[in-house]
Amino acid sequence: MSNTKKYWKGIEELQETPEFLNHKQNEFAEELPVDKFLGDDKLVNTNTNRRDFLKVLGFSVTAASLAACETPVRKAIPYLNKPEEITPGVANYYASSYWDGQDFASVVVKTREARPIKVDGNELCSITSGGSTARVQASVLSLYDSNRLRKPQMNGKEAEWSTVDKEVKSKLEATAQRGGNIRILTSTIISPSIKAAVAEFTIAYPTTQVVTYDAVSLKAIADAHLATHGKAMIPTYQFDKADFILGIGCDFLTNWLSPVEYARQYASKRKLSKDKKEMSRHVQIESLLSLTGSNADKRVALKPSQLGLAAISIYNKLTGSSISTAATDKDNAISEVAKELASYKGKALVVCGINDPAIQQVVNAINTYLGAYGNTINTDVIDYTRQGNDAAVANLVSEMNAGSVDALIIHGTNPVYSLANGDAFKTALSKVDLSISLSDVADETASACKIIAPNSHFLESWSDANPRTGHYTLGQPVINPLGSTREALVSLLNWAGNTTNARDYIAKYWEVMLYATSAEIAGFSTFWNKTLNAGLLVKSTEIVTNSVPTVPPAPSSTPAISDIKPVADLFAAGSSIVSSAKSAKGIEVVIYEKTGLGWGGQANNPWLQELPDPVTKVTWDNYVLMNPDEMREKGFNVLMGQEQFSDTVDVTIGTKKLSLPAVAQPGLPKGVVAIAVGYGRTAAGKTANGIGANAFSLVGTSGGYYQFNVSGASISGSTGKYNIAATQTHHTMMGRQIVKETTLEEYKKDSKAGNEDLLLATNLKNVGKDGKAKPQELDLWQNFEYKNHFWNMAIDLNSCIGCGSCVVSCTAENNVPVVGKDEVRRSREMHWMRIDRYFTSSMNEEVAEKDGVGAIDKFLKMEVPATDDSLEVVFQPVMCQHCNQAPCETVCPVLATTHSLEGLNQMTYNRCIGTRYCANNCPYKVRRFNWFRYNENEAFDFNMYDDMGKMVLNPDVTVRSRGVMEKCSMCVQRIQAGKLSAKKKSERPADGSIKTACQQACPTNAITFGDFNDANSAVRKAWNDERKYQLLEEVGTQPSVYYLTKVRNKPATTKA
Amino acid sequence: MSKQIIYGVFDDEEVLISSAKALRGQGVKIRDVFSPFPIHGLDPVIGIKPTRLSNAAFFYGMFGTSMAVLMTWYMMIHDWPMNVGGKPSFTWFENMPAFIPVTFELTVFCAAHGMVLSYLLVNKIYPGRKAHNPDPRSTDDMFIMEIQTVDNKKVAGSEIISVLRNTGAIEINQKEL
Amino acid sequence: MSHQSASVREPLILGEKTYHQITEDIAKPIEGKANNLFKILFTISALLALWGVACFSYTIGTGIGVWGLNKTVGWAWDITNFVWWVGIGHAGTLISAILLLFRQRWRMSINRSAEAMTIFAVICAALFPVMHMGRVWLAYWVLPLPNQFGSLWVNFNSPLLWDVFAISTYFTVSLVFWYTGLIPDFATIRDRQVKPKMKRIYSILSFGWSGSAKQWSRFEEVSLVLAGLSTPLVLSVHTIVSMDFATSVIPGWHTTIFPPYFVAGAVFSGFAMVLTLLIIMRKVLHLEDYITIAHVESMNKIIIITGSIVGVAYLTELFVSWYSGVEYEQYAFLNRATGPYWWSYWSMMTCNVITPQLFWFKKIRKSLMATFIISIFVNIGMWFERFVIIVTSLHRDYLPSSWTMFHPTFIDIGIFLGTIGIFFTLFLLFSRTFPVIALNELKTILKSTSENPKPPHH
């Protein structure tokens, strides 16, 4: 828009005085005395001649350039008074708890110089027991997200808290007086004290009602239990007690209720050893190849609409009852599953992730028949992490549209983004007189609110949590709020007229509610300090919140147990399932959460964006997953790679349309596509904005329940090309012995099954048997011995589920730069450890042999993953193998990489000149080269380039410069720290006292690290395990990292 | 009699050789011969001893070898032995195979350069030195024999000149010293 | 006198030549004025060179990331070009050393320019190992100097370090060998000059050579010994270069056949480049009488031999990979021929194995046009050979999870063209300022190998 303002040269122009008009055209108001000046004969004999001029010029130029040369001074300001607990260079650890409205984790935060740099699981916590998810690991970076608000906002402008509070209070009072409706829209609240605060708020403003909203709702589970067990509850599941696990469309290892816990239980049941040769059997019936499905022993791929039918027919088969059902595509497979199930009565567990009460009722019925309740399902300990009420949210929206909501406080959720009808919510929001968001970012919803009262990050906040019956945790701030933010708790209290701060309020609550009922410890302060130190408190009995003396009852999230009869009518349920299955038409769409990003709360976190999806290995995008065969039929490109462009397609349901690249996903049935939520953000921040499309918009609703499996979609032909970035573009093992695998049956017979010794024929008499020798035995020279420590690592492929939290943990620990989508596309990701994912192919040596396929053809076919149910998936974490005869070391011309006296393959960054010879010569391709100066190149505007983001860097680890090679160091800084602390106690480091970052993050304890020279160390035991093998041992690199064979619980087959 | 230099100019190297033989027959000492290219079979005639540059080259080479051995031993074994890909840095001999290429190259390096340097020295040729061939044509197509009377007390200059003329010198120049 | 042997073999010098005539012919390009063709060629090559410099500066400023490399393919065009240039740099010294030992007279009219080519090629080659470093400014760390933080030395186990010694020795020794031969010829030029400026320049270049009998006898000795030293040196250089690959563990690199196979390939490509240059040069500088069809034919014969050796090496590789029974090895070679880079493999096969075989036909062997075209083919083929060895081995090695592709950027291409520019700029300068043929050496064989020697009458 052109500027229409007019400025006057002066009052004269305004008044248009005659002399102004005369001189108007002249450049200068009056004549300049140029002639006079030049005519001045004195000028001739002035003594400033050319030489002087040049002198002056020269001087000034020199001066200027000298001034320009000055280097910026960087000051390091020491502590004036050193805080008692802080010793520069020594880390402090604080227990806290993580809650993002969906996942709970009790965590331990590592701080350096009062700066949190790492979040790990709290080993004392019986739920997570030290494990953590990628999101928990990444949460520390979200603290330093420069997009977080520094100040409260009113009508889009920054404001002071006082003004905000005044405004809010007055408005609320006014509303309350005229009996206007006040609503609090919140994500599930598991904090007792926030509940209490909400209660106080409700007293202050009686017209308040709380609406709980889970973006990814599981309300059906609770309601199904209300029907079948007379109690709306989400029980806790015990995968470690189940010998047979049947998952129906349920990704319980990554995004279902309590992933860390369930993953741990699941894996613990499947760990094998000399003395434990039994493991659980896991069958997965699902549409999308989820991470859980990838780990299953048997997987049956079904269209989403048929999952319910499968549940019914299983129930019928088991109980002999005849609930009306319909045929599925895989009836035989399903009846086999049912047959198997029958033999596991009391030891089986069936879980279902579909938000449909009818299906959940059937599942409950199956579990009841199998006697799972009480054995593998615990109804005494109830899971509180999903309290959302889908119907209530819908109701709220209509209320708002009707204009009957006068004040709305939105806490911990982002409905404008995550509601299918987000735009509708936005318009409705504009009808609300007082709309307040407690979000710490001006996200899609917050930016539509009149007031933003930014919540503090959990690392800046006091908090407490009650994720499940009898389980209480405390959260403490580990850093002062970086901006002028404050806990939602405080805001609510403040508006309710209570000005106590969060700590005192929580302490008070705990004193009254928890300490009072726990006699064991004398003195509250002791109790408080003890709990705060441990971070948690486990109580045998539930405290009923409505017995709070000081505050009136908080609205209990789970309805109190009523004695209503179980109303489960399986026939009704069955018919509803069948009818909805029948009504399914067109292409079906599965809307799912990615392992890393989840529902997208931390979408702006570059670590999560760059973490490859465990199954597709794609980063930085969401996409339409399709069956490869179907894609070939449609003429879409199924290949991945730098210059392999995916076809963009439009997925249309009614008026909703998403335009995304199509990516091939073996194991996905034809006629089904899958799209991940968490992308398509518009106001999350520079990292997430504009990536992908928002799949929440396709979420359906039936009977008041969000449906994440929807049908009636249509898919356009290719509308364009799009380049996705995957860290792995080749998906099969090409018949190589990379991940060694066997079946339980064979393993029981011979614990070396699938791991037969690789013997090389030699003409040596002294080695091996009849001249055949293992590669390790063949040596040209005597080896170095490691006299003190010899650090080794063992990875149990049977426990690794491929979740990727180790990768994020490694990134956080070792300052691994984020390089962004385009660099990942060029296969230049910097992750020090990766998780290789291999699909099985329907072509292999045997088949080739049998069908007489030629070598060329064989290998071409081998590249193509199987698309039928024979498809199996394996995961293999690969980091530097710390070879004891390392090819990389030999070839470095300048000795920049050498072997330490403790068997570590170490990089000397400041000696490296970047010939990349080592990387070429590494058979495992684990070395990473700094192609650019990632931390100072604005093309890489991620956490390392960002002043705020830089604060997350680990001061113990160098930030590598451009042109330097880097790789896994086995967390040498942690080894050093561990050795020092042991030395202080003048003893050798105890086994397990030193943990690598990946090991610490692993929820399933798949990674073991320790000193091989310690005869009783866990890693030494792993070495002696008969499942142990070294990757590519025939190359003779003699790695210090070794793997334990993967064992699938399935009948022996001809090895593939 | 006066000291003088006699230049016999030939246009064919073979003629020059025969003439030289004739002169030697009369006991005339030939100071030097300037030619555009090496004349085979001339050296014995005018009594030039075979050069020993090749022996020098051999010793330079040996020096290179020992230097290489010493360097690899000092740097890899003695001063700061390291575990490089498990290669045995215990003794020089165990690690020796890796040192062969460098040893060979250094040998050749020293031999070649050492020899060429001494070649330049003994030939007294270096940038900026003035050439002292009596006639520019001697680097093109003429072959010039230099005889000094001081070397030939017994034979008279005129004698020499006549021999030269008879044996095919196409021109004869004399220079007073 | 002995003028007879001329009839036995084909004459190596045509026309009626006297010693003086030879001097005249060789000195002409130096004393004459540059023609337009020369000016045009020179401008083009100089511009190319500048372009290369620009691309390289950009690389230094931004990072190796501006090339197409990635975590799996850590070397591609850089080392391909390096090996290619080193290979080309083999013909010169081979001609002047080995052919001297074998007393091959036909070498005399080509060795000078062949050696020049060697030196310029090695210069281009040496650029790449330096340029491909992530931190070029620390390149001197490959020299056996104690590192500034203490007595950290270089790694004598590393083939790259062997390269440092091999290339520097080869370069300096070839240079010295070349210049030793040049000194008397410079003297000849010097003594012809009338312009004082030219005279001064060439008298400096000629080190004051006077051509006395003593000097000549030492000269012959030195040339002989240098030849003796250079012969194993030539063979060692490409052997060591091949060890960069042979001593590694990557399937397709880890091959004991590499040293002989690389040396043969080097001679092969070297002679091809010599032919490419000489066929042009003899025209432009009117040296038809000295660089004759006979010369071209002899070189073509060497091309058939080395080309066939290379071909056999290719087949041996295939056989051994099959016979070894190592699945990685087998796949590596299958992938070369049928994988995503099949085109580079088959271009290599066609250019290096098939085209040289045409030289079995005398007609083609003696045809300048055919020779020129085939020599270009061989140059291309040999570049692809190195690309195939480096990229197609790396891009699919042991773990399929890290298999990927390499795609060059315009910087990769720019730098390569740049070195070609540098090479031709230097060679053109050489052809106008140096005696491009060892004229005095040539005079020694005038009588025996000239078509019609004109003995001086007495």
Side-chain angles (χ1 to χ4, degrees), chain A residues 915-962:
Chain A
T915 66
R916 297 183 301 289
Y917 196 177
C918 52
N920 288 339
N921 208 21
C922 172
Y924 311 96
K925 290 287 170 277
V926 290
R927 290 181 158 261
R928 299 288 177 261
F929 186 70
N930 285 270
W931 301 103
F932 298 99
R933 192 179 284 104
Y934 295 111
N935 56 332
E936 281 169 35
N937 184 334
E938 76 276 358
F940 302 94
D941 185 9
F942 308 110
N943 58 307
M944 267 202 192
Y945 183 73
D946 181 305
D947 285 346
M948 269 283 240
K950 279 190 166 80
M951 287 170 61
V952 84
L953 293 176
N954 180 356
D956 291 334
V957 179
T958 325
V959 173
R960 279 75 62 183
S961 81
R962 185 240 290 182

Side-chain angles (χ1 to χ4, degrees), chain A residues 600-635:
Chain A
Q602 287 192 70
N604 201 44
N605 190 315
W607 289 349
L608 290 177
Q609 288 285 359
E610 189 139 311
L611 173 69
D613 178 275
V615 183
T616 63
K617 286 290 158 196
V618 178
T619 64
W620 286 100
D621 263 308
N622 73 335
Y623 32 78
V624 182
L625 289 175
M626 288 178 74
N627 176 298
D629 296 335
E630 196 172 12
M631 285 175 74
R632 290 192 196 91
E633 286 157 21
K634 289 182 187 287

Side-chain angles (χ1 to χ4, degrees), chain A residues 642-643 727-730 732-736 738 826-829 834 836 838 855-856 859 863 887 889-895 909-917 920-925 928-929 931-932 961-964 1031-1032 1034-1035, chain C residues 60-72 74-75 78 132-135 137-138 141-142 147 152-155 157-161 243-244 247-250 253 327-328 331 334 338 394 396-405 407:
Chain A
Q642 268 184 69
E643 302 300 328
T727 59
Q728 184 178 345
T729 55
H730 195 101
T732 63
M733 243 180 308
M734 303 300 287
R736 301 178 175 184
I738 294 167
R826 300 174 191 278
S827 330
R828 290 176 181 177
E829 72 275 7
R834 60 176 198 258
D836 290 346
Y838 296 107
I856 296 173
F859 282 121
E863 295 183 19
E889 294 173 6
T890 315
V891 299
C892 176
V894 294
L895 287 171
Y909 301 127
N910 52 5
R911 176 66 169 171
C912 177
I913 57 172
T915 66
R916 297 183 301 289
Y917 196 177
N920 288 339
N921 208 21
C922 172
Y924 311 96
K925 290 287 170 277
R928 299 288 177 261
F929 186 70
W931 301 103
F932 298 99
S961 81
R962 185 240 290 182
V964 166
L1031 192 52
L1032 302 176
E1034 58 270 49
V1035 182
Chain C
I60 295 185
T62 320
I64 296 291
V66 299
W67 297 359
L69 305 170
N70 56 47
K71 69 171 196 268
T72 311
W75 289 344
D78 45 3
H132 94 299
M133 289 182 188
R135 304 204 287 174
W137 47 94
L138 299 179
W141 281 2
V142 299
N147 135 302
L152 177 58
W153 300 96
V154 290
N155 177 11
N157 296 304
S158 165
L160 270 189
L161 198 77
M243 285 174 180
D244 286 347
T247 63
S248 82
V249 300
I250 301 302
W253 281 14
E327 59 185 325
Y328 308 108
Y331 183 79
L334 200 69
T338 65
L394 281 176
R396 289 189 170 186
D397 63 346
Y398 287 102
L399 300 182
S401 64
S402 36
W403 288 4
T404 183
M405 295 290 286
H407 299 278

Side-chain angles (χ1 to χ4, degrees), chain A residues 95 104 106-108 120-131 264 471-473 530-538:
Chain A
F104 164 81
S106 171
V107 296
V108 173
D120 276 303
N122 180 351
E123 285 166 11
L124 301 174
C125 173
S126 61
I127 299 180
T128 58
S129 68
R264 196 191 81 254
H471 196 104
Y472 292 84
T473 67
K530 194 164 173 296
T531 325
L532 196 57
N533 179 290
L536 50 84
L537 164 74
V538 178

Side-chain angles (χ1 to χ4, degrees), chain B residues 1 5 10 13 29 43 53 56-57 62 83 94 102 114 128 144 172:
Chain B
M1 64 191 264
I5 308 176
F10 296 79
E13 69 274 25
K29 185 173 185 308
D43 297 6
L53 275 169
M62 286 302 101
N83 178 351
E94 280 172 286
V102 170
I144 299 176
I172 293 160

Side-chain angles (χ1 to χ4, degrees), chain A residues 31-51:
Chain A
E31 206 61 39
L32 291 179
V34 183
D35 310 343
K36 197 149 153 288
F37 171 70
L38 293 178
D40 181 355
D41 45 10
K42 279 205 218 69
L43 192 66
V44 186
N45 43 37
T46 48
N47 48 12
T48 5
N49 49 20
R50 182 178 46 78
R51 288 171 162 283

Side-chain angles (χ1 to χ4, degrees), chain A residues 840-899:
Chain A
T840 52
S841 166
S842 29
M843 171 57 68
N844 58 46
E845 292 302 331
E846 286 72 20
V847 177
E849 204 80 11
K850 201 157 86 286
D851 310 356
V853 183
I856 296 173
D857 222 25
K858 177 184 76 185
F859 282 121
L860 288 178
K861 287 206 170 68
M862 271 185 175
E863 295 183 19
V864 182
T867 49
D868 56 358
D869 280 353
S870 77
L871 175 78
E872 285 180 345
V873 190
V874 287
F875 298 98
Q876 181 176 42
V878 179
M879 71 293 287
C880 174
Q881 305 285 303
H882 293 271
C883 312
N884 294 296
Q885 293 185 355
C888 53
E889 294 173 6
T890 315
V891 299
C892 176
V894 294
L895 287 171
T897 180
T898 52
H899 230 60

